[in-house]
Amino acid sequence: MTQRAPDVSFVIAAYNAADTIRRSIDSALAQTGVDVEVIVVDDYSKDETCAVVEELADQRVRLLRLAENRGPGGARNAGLEAARGDWIAILDADDTVSPQRLSRMIGLASSTEASIVVDNIDVLNLDGRLERMFPEAELERRRTLTLAAFIGSNVLFRSTFNFGYMKPIFERRFLNEHRLRFEETIRIGEDYILLASALAHGGRCVIDPSAGYCYHIREGSISRVLELRHIDAMMTADREFLARHTLDAEALAMQRRRDKSLVEAHAFLRLVEHLKSKSLAGATQVALTNPRALRHLRMPIAVRLRRLLAPIARMKPATSTVAAERPTSGESPHVSKG
């Protein structure tokens, strides 16, 4: 007899996640009103992640071991290929979901004929404080997420909502029909490109204003360190995205703003590197080439660099009015933590 496919396939990419993976799996298995499978893809961990997963006596859990480290995009793609569920839910190995999340989101998709659903997020901070990432009234007002709105919210250094933090669920049929997978060449922002591509292919994305995903902030999160190589990879991925898709006027305008912000972020990180190495000539060159980078020294890293800023103070002041982004979690703009 052919086994019935589950309603949902949770895909959990895990790398050295022995201390949190059980909590994430348990939250996925606790879903009510839907049948689930949990696919844990071990991304060549060096700790006891696999042993923790293997201890679970639940036939709904499958462990895939990668022979080499492929990064979050590669690990998730391996999970997508193995998935059998009607819906795909990506869950980070250190995060959790509420028991009603998937039944609620799938119900919303069914009533609106959507192939993508996003919801609100709770953020559990290091000090134990729980914060709601987006005001529910704002999401109630939107109800749908367009490509233009999504790209526009992912302009770096914005002071408004960044929908790149959202954790969508996708109809597996839609992903397969359009051959959509995570970018494996980037390790920050791979989830952004997937959702942007799905929206560019005409995927209808609806918003559930309630929070069902809990984002656990922890020490050592990758999003706390944004490096030049990450910006380079994001810029390359954006160019490839534009080569594959034709954007409408509104989405294209937002993309141009995002492109500009990536250039500014690149200049800012170069400026920081020069300041750290006390290279006044290098810092001056970057500041003169892109004076907007100076304004972004108001980000938290400026605290560590304050003593080095005196020589720069006599330079031409920046003319930008763009403020540094202040996400709820205190992390860098537009990057996932995992």
Side-chain angles (χ1 to χ4, degrees):
M1 181 187 303
T2 303
Q3 186 178 10
R4 179 184 178 279
D7 299 310
V8 182
S9 293
F10 277 93
V11 175
I12 305 177
Y15 177 72
N16 291 347
D19 57 337
T20 62
I21 189 64
R22 178 64 184 267
R23 180 183 66 198
S24 294
I25 294 174
D26 286 346
S27 76
L29 293 177
Q31 294 301 295
T32 60
V34 291
D35 296 325
V36 304
E37 68 173 355
V38 179
I39 303 171
V40 179
V41 185
D42 181 71
D43 198 17
Y44 205 60
S45 295
K46 304 303 182 183
D47 67 356
E48 299 301 312
T49 297
C50 289
V52 173
V53 177
E54 288 172 337
E55 289 176 356
L56 297 173
D58 196 311
Q59 295 182 347
R60 295 174 294 172
V61 180
R62 285 191 282 162
L63 174 64
L64 303 181
R65 295 171 179 254
L66 298 186
E68 61 180 0
N69 184 272
R70 290 172 54 181
R76 289 169 180 167
N77 283 343
L80 289 178
E81 294 302 322
R84 298 181 300 111
D86 296 330
W87 288 86
I88 301 293
I90 303 299
L91 176 59
D92 286 352
D94 54 354
D95 291 340
T96 56
V97 287
S98 64
Q100 300 82 24
R101 182 183 189 238
L102 268 297
S103 61
R104 186 176 61 241
M105 294 175 80
I106 292 174
L108 179 59
S110 178
S111 64
T112 57
E113 298 184 347
S115 52
I116 312 163
V117 187
V118 294
D119 62 347
N120 214 329
I121 295 175
D122 280 332
V123 180
L124 184 61
N125 288 279
L126 291 172
D127 60 5
R129 288 179 299 109
L130 191 67
E131 299 177 272
R132 187 65 46 89
M133 182 169 286
F134 304 104
E136 290 190 7
E138 169 66 19
L139 299 188
E140 284 279 5
R141 183 181 67 82
R142 291 179 178 269
R143 300 307 296 182
T144 61
L145 181 62
T146 65
L147 178 59
F150 182 61
I151 295 175
S153 77
N154 280 274
V155 173
L156 273 65
F157 306 118
R158 283 175 58 102
S159 59
T160 56
F161 311 108
N162 186 334
F163 296 132
Y165 285 107
M166 287 176 158
K167 295 291 186 177
I169 67 167
F170 297 95
E171 190 178 21
R172 185 166 66 91
R173 176 191 56 79
F174 179 85
L175 292 180
N176 290 340
E177 281 183 0
H178 296 285
R179 300 180 181 179
L180 293 173
R181 292 295 185 265
F182 288 96
E183 291 286 343
E184 299 192 20
T185 57
I186 54 178
R187 300 203 172 200
I188 287 185
E190 74 288 342
D191 45 357
Y192 165 80
I193 290 293
L194 179 64
L195 180 50
S197 298
L199 293 170
H201 274 290
R204 176 173 170 77
C205 180
V206 294
I207 300 174
D208 179 354
S210 56
Y213 192 100
C214 187
Y215 188 98
H216 294 247
I217 304 301
R218 62 188 180 89
E219 293 291 350
S221 294
I222 192 172
S223 56
R224 295 182 182 277
V225 181
L226 188 62
E227 301 175 5
L228 276 172
R229 60 189 176 90
H230 298 142
I231 298 295
D232 287 333
M234 290 161 66
M235 294 170 76
T236 298
D238 274 23
R239 286 193 294 269
E240 293 174 352
F241 168 75
L242 287 172
R244 291 193 299 266
H245 305 289
T246 300
L247 277 57
D248 62 30
E250 187 178 4
L252 187 58
M254 293 298 101
Q255 181 63 48
R256 286 170 178 160
R257 290 181 61 188
R258 174 174 158 82
D259 292 343
K260 186 176 181 180
S261 75
L262 287 171
V263 171
E264 290 179 17
H266 196 277
F268 168 70
L269 292 178
R270 284 166 42 222
L271 178 61
V272 168
E273 287 191 350
H274 288 308
L275 291 173
K276 284 182 176 179
S277 63
K278 299 185 180 181
S279 172
L280 179 58
T284 302
Q285 180 61 39
V286 172
L288 293 176
T289 303
N290 196 326
R292 287 175 177 264
L294 287 174
R295 293 297 295 267
H296 301 316
L297 286 175
R298 290 185 297 172
M299 295 175 71
I301 195 169
V303 175
R304 302 193 298 271
L305 302 174
R306 188 168 295 155
R307 286 180 297 177
L308 301 177
L309 298 183
I312 309 299
R314 293 187 296 273
M315 292 184 184
K316 177 182 177 181
T319 58
S320 171
T321 58
V322 178
E325 180 172 359
R326 297 179 297 276
T328 302
S329 64
E331 299 193 333
S332 301
H334 170 60
V335 290
S336 62
K337 74 178 189 323

